[in-house]
Amino acid sequence: MIELLQLPKAELHLHIEGTLEPELAFELADRNRVDLPFASVDDLRSRYSFENLQSFLDLYYATMAALRTEDDFADLARAYVARAAAQGVRHAEVFFDPQAHARRGVPIEAVIDGLSAGLAAAGREHGVTGGLIMCFLRDLPVEDAEATLTSALPRAGALLGVGLDSAEVGNPPGRFAGVFRRAREAGLRTVAHAGEEAPAAYIWEALDVLGVERVDHGIRAVDDPRLLERLAADRVPLTVCPLSNLRLRAVGSLAEHPLARLLEAGVVATVNSDDPAYFGGYAGDNFAAAAEALGLGLETAELLARNSVEASFVPAERAAELLAEIDAWAARHRLS
Ligand code: HPA
Ligand code: ZN
């Protein structure tokens, strides 16, 4: 087996709240005098067994009650960057869910400022660049998303873009077209979760109605040959999350995971961790697990890393640096 943990890569599908490990959740809850609805770290970890996306989301929203202050968000971001850097991540585009914090009374400024400070400080320390993508919760009314965008606009300079997440089935992307248009007009990039549990039609809608530049998950594209052709021809990247799909039962086993079929169809697929505290692995773990289950070799691992740079929103100069790091890694591994 090749050592994929240290393969230099960009992480493009990562919910910062999904990096909240039970130990940090309890530390922050103690600090904030918040009562988490779990008896202990072990009790919380024992609940990490999911039937589907919704059963995960219930625990994800319950655990994030520990996050209250700007410092909490900075600590969370610092902890993530340290873990990611240890697994070869050199650039991270990080999702956050401000609506899930606003309903607990946490102002969006505390969330954005804390995450920005944590990413910047840990990024300098570990050589990781990055940015923030603000996600709208698709199971809340569009008016809530509109108000969230309005409240974030004074800090638009701190954001790379906007995304769409939470419970997918029954919440197709199209009704968020107006919010996404406003975000684009404010200079923000656009992505959306689609085709995780819901069918390929949601991916078409994310492309044609929302106009997104990148699709998160998107694995159900394998059911639609015309969609595969479209994604490949337009080089619309997919941010695939193998261990998430396994743990949320979007696939029966990693050996059946569509990643290899997406690559064969010429789609710019990438490998990411989604909610690594909950799904059993950070970015490098996802590369290693997918490579082993699907029999992917050195060249495919290298392709996935290159795809992550192409699919990212980094400036050309930083992209060239990252590609050079991948070249150097691949050259070392070809020799060994
Ligand atoms: N899908 C949708 N919403 C989410 C996810 C996911 O995998 N993780 C955190 N919020
Ligand atoms: Zn996700």
Side-chain angles (χ1 to χ4, degrees), residues 12-15 53 56-57 60 95 135 164-166 193 196 216-217 239 241 244 248 273-275 279:
L12 308 176
H13 186 156
L14 179 282
H15 301 264
L53 174 58
F56 155 70
L57 289 171
Y60 168 83
F95 295 142
C135 287
L164 187 68
D165 66 0
S166 202
H193 284 54
E196 177 184 14
D216 298 311
H217 292 295
T239 63
C241 306
S244 165
L248 299 188
S273 66
D274 208 5
D275 300 283
F279 300 148

Side-chain angles (χ1 to χ4, degrees), residues 144-164:
D144 280 33
E146 291 281 9
T148 301
L149 178 60
T150 301
S151 69
L153 284 180
R155 279 173 168 69
L159 304 178
L160 269 181
V162 296
L164 187 68

